[in-house]
Amino acid sequence: MKTFTNVKDLGNLKAAVSEAFVVKQHRYDYKYLGENRTLLMVFFNSSLRTRLSTQKAGMNLGMNTIVLDINQGAWKLETERGVIMDGDKTEHLLEAIPVMGCYADIIAVRSFARFENKEFDYSETILNQFIQYSEKPVISMEAATGHPLQAFADLITIEEYKKTQRPKVVLTWAPHPKALPQAVPNSFADFMNEADVNFVITHPEGYELDEKFIRGAHVEYDQDKALQGADFVYAKNWAAYTDPNYGKVLRKDMSWTISKKKMALTNNAFFMHCLPVRRNMIVTDDVIESPQSIVIPEAANREISAQVVLKRILEAL
Amino acid sequence: MKTFTNVKDLGNLKAAVSEAFVVKQHRYDYKYLGENRTLLMVFFNSSLRTRLSTQKAGMNLGMNTIVLDINQGAWKLETERGVIMDGDKTEHLLEAIPVMGCYADIIAVRSFARFENKEFDYSETILNQFIQYSEKPVISMEAATGHPLQAFADLITIEEYKKTQRPKVVLTWAPHPKALPQAVPNSFADFMNEADVNFVITHPEGYELDEKFIRGAHVEYDQDKALQGADFVYAKNWAAYTDPNYGKVLRKDMSWTISKKKMALTNNAFFMHCLPVRRNMIVTDDVIESPQSIVIPEAANREISAQVVLKRILEAL
Amino acid sequence: MKTFTNVKDLGNLKAAVSEAFVVKQHRYDYKYLGENRTLLMVFFNSSLRTRLSTQKAGMNLGMNTIVLDINQGAWKLETERGVIMDGDKTEHLLEAIPVMGCYADIIAVRSFARFENKEFDYSETILNQFIQYSEKPVISMEAATGHPLQAFADLITIEEYKKTQRPKVVLTWAPHPKALPQAVPNSFADFMNEADVNFVITHPEGYELDEKFIRGAHVEYDQDKALQGADFVYAKNWAAYTDPNYGKVLRKDMSWTISKKKMALTNNAFFMHCLPVRRNMIVTDDVIESPQSIVIPEAANREISAQVVLKRILEAL
């Protein structure tokens, strides 16, 4: 394993989940793998869970870990080739990336969609430059179009909590004051489409996601109908993907907020969210604080998904 | 030991000081305690000594250490429940805290008084949320009303430098251009009241501290009189505590600045300050640079106080 | 070895380069040296290569490493003595430095020239305060007038790539939109003057460097003439040093930019630059991307130069 950017990098998904359960029980048993190995975590954007869980996973494996916040303490980076660099950007990614590669055995990168240019975002320009120029294995810690460490943790959590062989998992759009990338719903769909679940997506018209990730999954525009019989409700906001509205917030009203009333439609479903979550926009206080809310164990599994990915990359070095 | 927020958490104070002297001589002898243990240091405010000394203490004990600056690189946090989160705060402490708890064995927190709401500050709202929701041992790295790692280091330093069995220790207010919390004087009083010293507090009228920490200690409003015969002069500024002036600066004139003339009133006292210190406001250059100034050994003992606390928590895990 | 601020600290330079080649092949063989030792890296300015390579070097040697960004998360520091500190600076370097020394075995410092006061810069006021007051070995990670870790890495790189016993090495000024310190060209000259190379400096009139570093090296004001027969072209911008223009940008036109046409004048020279580099100001895209560009291996050697220096200091502790 040399990169981790989507579900296919994990190969057999059942085997990956099984490995996650082993790692979770024996997280300090693989420290020999990381000896004299350095994990460099590069952040172009804010992070709490990803920062802590990925660093913890690297440390669990005995790695040296270095955290680099590009916008704090490093140089501002130019990302386009051919530019006369006479402005505020001091360094070009085409130098910065191979330089980072010099000092790392594995590079983990966070770089969100910027919503300035759909083609730039959806061709994963930044992440792919890291893959192409660093000469080192690269892990997405949420890129422009995907957040696979989150989706893998989500799947592990669903496997832990499911009460039926093939649970109904509903990904529902929910309102939010600002435009958010589609990375989390994209990767969640990417994983659920390969998992043994009954997967339904619900969102208002205009919020359709990229077919590359949806791959024909059932989309139900009536949220109430979608929630009926759900075993897991996975709430998330995203901005519009389809042209000409790419990156726009089309609505913010709270009729799609996950409330007790919405949850009553389900099969006593578990509530999931990748966090950070806007309370009383995405979900009401009472739902996220209810016993059916599993957002914290879900976050805890971020350490496990990261550790499985790092472990596999270390094993292949 | 599961939390460290005040002097009582240390139990027998003489035993704690004795342990500190042992740790200081053998700081790398306890690395087995911290193996596979993670110390998460969470900062809502700036830090130099606390940041370095606590991280060093964790490393001395063989721990993995992670530093998180909430206002740099993480998400802005909402602290009040029930809010519709449609503003600039992306995440609620009620999620962020248990999430941090997932990835840490011990959480150390710095969160200063904000001077917006006395009740919010003096009920230690932030620190107590960490204690209540993280499910992990919590250490105060200076909270709204106390800075016990500093006060413990101060006591260790006094024990090292004292020339009599029961020295006279004077806590004196001194001027400063901005409003500062009462955390340091509160904890210093909290510790001195339990230590074998003759403790005197001096400050201008209007700067009275919370009786919870003062507990009837002798307050002398005449600074010159208080300084007479002092073996240790502990200078510190704080803003007013008593209503209706909570958080206000009542005076800034330099008649309370610790100068050579003031020190001449003492029993050749040692000068102490928790640092950072405003020179020529709190204390003159010549006093802080004099041989009687022990601010640097005092700072060095921050590593020791932190290590004793971490060691005890690790032993109890 | 107790400080590293210039070429003389390395003693015999051939021996230092030989040691670098050994360290490069056996970088994890010296971990016993750093056990229970702490490297504190203090940044007053931005950093990418220096930050990563020095931390990596410390980790290679088994050290605990702590990174402190003074302007993020720490207190703003006063640097002048005698000031009444009633402004925005919370702490004085005269306290902060010995405090840092308490928690570190080696301190590495980055503090650029400020171009406010030539005497302040060229007396290395900040770096020398660290050397004087920290009581610990101090390494320059680029100070006001020198960047010796870079120059040492440059020399290692030249020794690796040279095809003749005594190559011609040309340091050439190149244009840049903003005023940059002379630290890199100063140290490069400092090292080249002691190395077995034919060293030539070329720059427009008015960009003369401090004779302390140049020490009579050949200066050729005609860039084309200087480049003839060069085996290595080392490009770098710097602001004027000589009075009354200290810190000023005298010209920005691109007639001094290193282009294919300029490189054609050389003996198929290797292109070097310390990075970060402004593309199409200092050097054209096609030159920096050509097979003769060795900027990435040069950056990789920053880990090695730092490790040799740290290793020697640890051996002397």
Side-chain angles (χ1 to χ4, degrees):
Chain A
M1 190 168 172
K2 188 160 159 61
T3 60
F4 181 65
T5 67
N6 63 62
V7 70
K8 285 181 192 66
D9 292 323
L10 286 177
N12 183 309
L13 202 50
K14 276 184 201 293
V17 171
S18 297
E19 188 172 336
F21 291 150
V22 173
V23 163
K24 193 165 183 173
Q25 294 305 315
H26 304 277
R27 56 191 91 183
Y28 302 109
D29 286 6
Y30 307 94
K31 287 169 78 173
Y32 62 93
L33 286 172
E35 196 185 352
N36 298 336
R37 298 294 189 183
T38 300
L39 170 65
L40 173 61
M41 299 165 60
V42 182
F43 291 93
F44 289 82
N45 306 95
S46 293
S47 174
L48 175 67
R49 274 150 293 280
T50 298
R51 181 181 297 264
L52 299 181
S53 63
T54 310
Q55 189 171 4
K56 178 76 158 57
M59 288 169 160
N60 290 352
L61 288 160
M63 301 187 80
N64 292 326
T65 60
I66 300 180
V67 177
L68 182 71
D69 285 298
I70 289 292
N71 297 318
Q72 290 157 17
W75 306 103
K76 285 198 183 177
L77 296 178
E78 177 60 58
T79 56
E80 290 187 46
R81 194 177 173 284
V83 169
I84 296 175
M85 291 173 60
D86 58 359
D88 66 332
K89 291 176 178 168
T90 307
E91 178 146 29
H92 203 290
L93 261 187
L94 292 175
E95 275 75 58
I97 290 173
V99 164
M100 294 181 207
C102 293
Y103 312 130
D105 295 287
I106 301 174
I107 300 182
V109 185
R110 163 161 287 200
S111 178
F112 290 173
R114 301 171 178 188
F115 288 150
E116 292 165 3
N117 180 326
K118 186 174 180 174
E119 168 63 19
F120 183 92
D121 290 345
Y122 267 73
S123 60
E124 287 288 8
T125 312
I126 303 293
L127 182 65
N128 282 327
Q129 287 188 346
F130 273 87
I131 293 170
Q132 187 173 355
Y133 297 115
S134 73
E135 301 192 3
K136 294 294 161 70
V138 171
I139 296 171
S140 164
M141 295 195 296
E142 186 171 343
T145 70
H147 193 358
L149 285 175
Q150 178 65 51
F152 184 20
D154 295 334
L155 176 60
I156 295 166
T157 309
I158 288 169
E159 290 292 329
E160 285 178 330
Y161 281 84
K162 75 179 185 186
K163 293 170 178 169
T164 59
Q165 181 59 33
R166 187 176 162 78
K168 180 176 179 183
V169 176
V170 179
L171 166 63
T172 179
W173 182 93
H176 187 277
K178 292 179 185 168
L180 292 185
Q182 298 94 23
V184 167
N186 284 345
S187 282
F188 190 70
D190 198 30
F191 273 71
M192 288 303 112
N193 281 325
E194 303 300 317
D196 192 15
V197 301
N198 172 16
F199 182 47
V200 177
I201 304 172
T202 182
H203 56 70
E205 295 207 32
Y207 279 100
E208 289 74 16
L209 293 162
D210 186 356
E211 189 55 29
K212 177 185 167 195
F213 300 98
I214 300 309
R215 299 199 288 278
H218 178 47
V219 177
E220 168 57 63
Y221 289 97
D222 181 335
Q223 189 191 37
D224 287 0
K225 205 167 157 189
L227 293 173
Q228 281 165 24
D231 297 298
F232 294 88
V233 174
Y234 193 97
K236 182 74 186 81
N237 174 270
W238 61 90
Y241 164 74
T242 50
D243 296 321
N245 292 323
Y246 179 66
K248 287 194 184 150
V249 175
L250 304 182
R251 53 188 292 180
K252 303 185 194 182
D253 67 284
M254 299 195 195
S255 61
W256 282 73
T257 300
I258 298 299
S259 62
K260 277 280 180 201
K261 199 173 147 197
K262 297 283 185 183
M263 291 300 284
L265 300 169
T266 70
N267 180 30
N268 193 27
F270 291 107
F271 175 80
M272 300 179 73
H273 189 281
C274 62
L275 307 180
V277 67
R278 301 268 186 158
R279 283 177 171 229
N280 303 311
M281 291 289 297
I282 300 282
V283 58
T284 57
D285 284 326
D286 52 6
V287 170
I288 200 169
E289 294 177 357
S290 73
Q292 291 306 97
S293 170
I294 55 173
V295 295
I296 304 305
E298 181 186 357
N301 279 331
R302 293 292 308 279
E303 178 182 337
I304 308 308
S305 66
Q307 189 169 343
V308 170
V309 167
L310 288 169
K311 174 175 170 284
R312 287 180 168 203
I313 292 176
L314 287 170
E315 285 167 344
L317 278 181
Chain B
M1 190 167 171
K2 189 161 158 59
T3 60
F4 180 65
T5 67
N6 62 62
V7 69
K8 285 182 192 65
D9 292 322
L10 286 177
N12 183 308
L13 202 50
K14 276 184 200 294
V17 171
S18 297
E19 188 172 335
F21 292 151
V22 174
V23 163
K24 192 166 183 172
Q25 293 305 315
H26 304 277
R27 55 190 92 184
Y28 302 110
D29 286 6
Y30 308 94
K31 288 170 77 174
Y32 63 93
L33 285 172
E35 196 185 353
N36 298 335
R37 298 295 189 182
T38 301
L39 170 64
L40 173 61
M41 299 166 60
V42 182
F43 290 93
F44 289 83
N45 306 94
S46 293
S47 174
L48 175 67
R49 274 149 293 281
T50 299
R51 181 182 297 264
L52 299 181
S53 63
T54 309
Q55 189 171 3
K56 178 77 159 55
M59 288 169 161
N60 290 351
L61 289 160
M63 301 187 80
N64 291 325
T65 60
I66 300 180
V67 177
L68 182 71
D69 284 299
I70 289 291
N71 296 320
Q72 289 158 18
W75 305 104
K76 286 198 183 178
L77 296 179
E78 178 60 57
T79 56
E80 290 188 46
R81 193 177 173 284
V83 169
I84 296 175
M85 291 174 59
D86 59 358
D88 67 331
K89 291 175 179 168
T90 306
E91 178 147 30
H92 203 290
L93 261 187
L94 292 175
E95 275 75 57
I97 290 172
V99 164
M100 294 180 207
C102 293
Y103 312 130
D105 296 287
I106 302 174
I107 300 183
V109 185
R110 163 162 286 200
S111 177
F112 291 172
R114 301 171 179 187
F115 288 149
E116 291 164 5
N117 180 326
K118 187 174 180 173
E119 168 63 20
F120 184 91
D121 290 344
Y122 268 73
S123 60
E124 287 288 10
T125 312
I126 304 293
L127 182 65
N128 282 327
Q129 287 187 346
F130 272 87
I131 293 169
Q132 187 173 355
Y133 297 116
S134 72
E135 302 192 2
K136 294 295 161 69
V138 171
I139 295 171
S140 164
M141 295 195 296
E142 185 170 345
T145 70
H147 193 359
L149 285 174
Q150 179 65 52
F152 185 18
D154 296 334
L155 176 59
I156 296 166
T157 309
I158 288 169
E159 291 291 329
E160 285 177 332
Y161 281 83
K162 74 179 186 186
K163 293 170 178 169
T164 58
Q165 181 60 34
R166 188 176 160 79
K168 180 175 178 182
V169 176
V170 179
L171 166 64
T172 178
W173 183 93
H176 187 277
K178 292 179 185 170
L180 292 185
Q182 298 93 23
V184 167
N186 283 346
S187 281
F188 190 70
D190 198 30
F191 272 71
M192 289 303 112
N193 281 325
E194 303 300 316
D196 191 16
V197 301
N198 171 16
F199 182 46
V200 177
I201 304 172
T202 182
H203 55 70
E205 295 207 33
Y207 279 101
E208 291 75 15
L209 294 162
D210 185 356
E211 189 54 30
K212 178 186 165 193
F213 301 98
I214 300 309
R215 299 199 288 278
H218 178 49
V219 177
E220 168 56 64
Y221 289 97
D222 181 335
Q223 190 191 38
D224 287 1
K225 204 167 159 190
L227 293 173
Q228 281 165 24
D231 297 298
F232 294 88
V233 173
Y234 193 97
K236 184 72 186 81
N237 174 270
W238 60 91
Y241 165 74
T242 50
D243 296 321
N245 291 323
Y246 179 67
K248 288 195 183 150
V249 175
L250 305 181
R251 52 188 292 181
K252 303 185 194 181
D253 66 283
M254 301 196 195
S255 61
W256 283 72
T257 299
I258 298 298
S259 62
K260 277 280 179 201
K261 200 173 147 198
K262 296 284 184 183
M263 291 299 285
L265 300 169
T266 70
N267 180 29
N268 192 27
F270 291 107
F271 175 79
M272 300 179 72
H273 189 283
C274 61
L275 307 181
V277 67
R278 301 267 185 159
R279 282 176 171 232
N280 302 311
M281 291 288 299
I282 300 283
V283 58
T284 57
D285 284 326
D286 52 5
V287 170
I288 199 167
E289 294 177 357
S290 74
Q292 291 306 98
S293 170
I294 55 173
V295 295
I296 305 305
E298 182 186 358
N301 279 331
R302 293 292 309 278
E303 178 182 337
I304 308 307
S305 67
Q307 189 169 345
V308 170
V309 167
L310 288 169
K311 173 176 172 284
R312 287 180 169 204
I313 292 176
L314 287 170
E315 286 167 343
L317 278 181
Chain C
M1 190 168 173
K2 190 161 158 59
T3 59
F4 180 64
T5 67
N6 62 62
V7 69
K8 285 181 192 64
D9 292 322
L10 285 177
N12 183 308
L13 202 51
K14 275 183 199 294
V17 171
S18 296
E19 188 172 336
F21 291 150
V22 173
V23 163
K24 192 165 183 173
Q25 294 304 316
H26 304 277
R27 55 190 92 185
Y28 302 110
D29 286 7
Y30 307 94
K31 288 169 77 172
Y32 63 93
L33 286 172
E35 196 184 353
N36 297 336
R37 298 295 189 182
T38 301
L39 169 65
L40 173 61
M41 299 165 60
V42 182
F43 291 94
F44 289 83
N45 306 95
S46 293
S47 174
L48 175 66
R49 273 150 294 280
T50 299
R51 180 183 297 265
L52 298 181
S53 63
T54 310
Q55 189 171 5
K56 177 78 158 55
M59 288 170 161
N60 289 351
L61 288 160
M63 301 187 80
N64 291 325
T65 60
I66 299 180
V67 177
L68 183 71
D69 284 299
I70 289 291
N71 297 320
Q72 290 158 17
W75 306 104
K76 286 197 183 179
L77 297 179
E78 177 61 58
T79 56
E80 290 187 47
R81 195 177 172 284
V83 169
I84 296 176
M85 291 174 59
D86 58 358
D88 66 332
K89 291 174 180 170
T90 307
E91 177 146 31
H92 203 290
L93 261 187
L94 292 175
E95 275 74 57
I97 290 172
V99 164
M100 294 180 208
C102 293
Y103 312 130
D105 295 288
I106 301 175
I107 300 182
V109 185
R110 163 161 287 201
S111 177
F112 291 172
R114 301 171 179 188
F115 288 149
E116 293 164 3
N117 180 324
K118 186 175 181 175
E119 167 64 19
F120 184 91
D121 290 344
Y122 268 73
S123 61
E124 287 288 8
T125 312
I126 304 294
L127 182 65
N128 282 328
Q129 287 188 346
F130 273 87
I131 293 169
Q132 188 173 355
Y133 297 115
S134 73
E135 301 192 4
K136 294 293 162 69
V138 171
I139 296 172
S140 164
M141 294 195 296
E142 186 171 345
T145 70
H147 193 359
L149 285 174
Q150 179 65 51
F152 184 20
D154 296 334
L155 175 60
I156 295 166
T157 309
I158 288 169
E159 291 292 329
E160 285 177 331
Y161 281 83
K162 74 178 186 188
K163 293 171 178 169
T164 58
Q165 182 58 34
R166 187 176 161 79
K168 180 176 179 182
V169 176
V170 180
L171 166 63
T172 177
W173 183 93
H176 187 277
K178 292 178 184 169
L180 292 186
Q182 298 93 22
V184 167
N186 283 346
S187 282
F188 190 70
D190 198 30
F191 273 70
M192 288 303 112
N193 280 327
E194 303 300 317
D196 191 17
V197 301
N198 172 16
F199 182 46
V200 177
I201 304 172
T202 182
H203 55 69
E205 295 206 31
Y207 279 101
E208 290 75 17
L209 293 162
D210 186 356
E211 189 54 30
K212 178 185 164 193
F213 301 99
I214 300 310
R215 299 199 288 278
H218 178 48
V219 177
E220 168 56 63
Y221 288 98
D222 181 335
Q223 190 192 37
D224 286 0
K225 204 167 158 191
L227 292 174
Q228 281 164 25
D231 297 298
F232 294 88
V233 173
Y234 193 97
K236 184 73 186 82
N237 174 270
W238 60 90
Y241 164 74
T242 50
D243 296 323
N245 291 323
Y246 180 67
K248 287 196 184 147
V249 174
L250 305 181
R251 52 188 291 180
K252 303 186 195 181
D253 67 283
M254 299 195 196
S255 61
W256 283 72
T257 300
I258 299 298
S259 61
K260 277 279 180 201
K261 199 172 148 197
K262 296 283 184 182
M263 291 299 284
L265 299 170
T266 70
N267 180 28
N268 193 28
F270 291 107
F271 175 79
M272 300 179 73
H273 189 280
C274 62
L275 307 181
V277 67
R278 300 268 185 159
R279 283 176 170 231
N280 303 311
M281 292 287 299
I282 300 282
V283 57
T284 57
D285 284 326
D286 52 5
V287 170
I288 200 168
E289 293 177 358
S290 72
Q292 291 306 98
S293 169
I294 55 174
V295 295
I296 304 306
E298 182 186 358
N301 279 331
R302 294 291 308 279
E303 178 182 337
I304 308 308
S305 66
Q307 188 169 344
V308 170
V309 167
L310 288 169
K311 173 176 170 285
R312 287 180 168 203
I313 293 177
L314 287 170
E315 285 167 345
L317 278 181

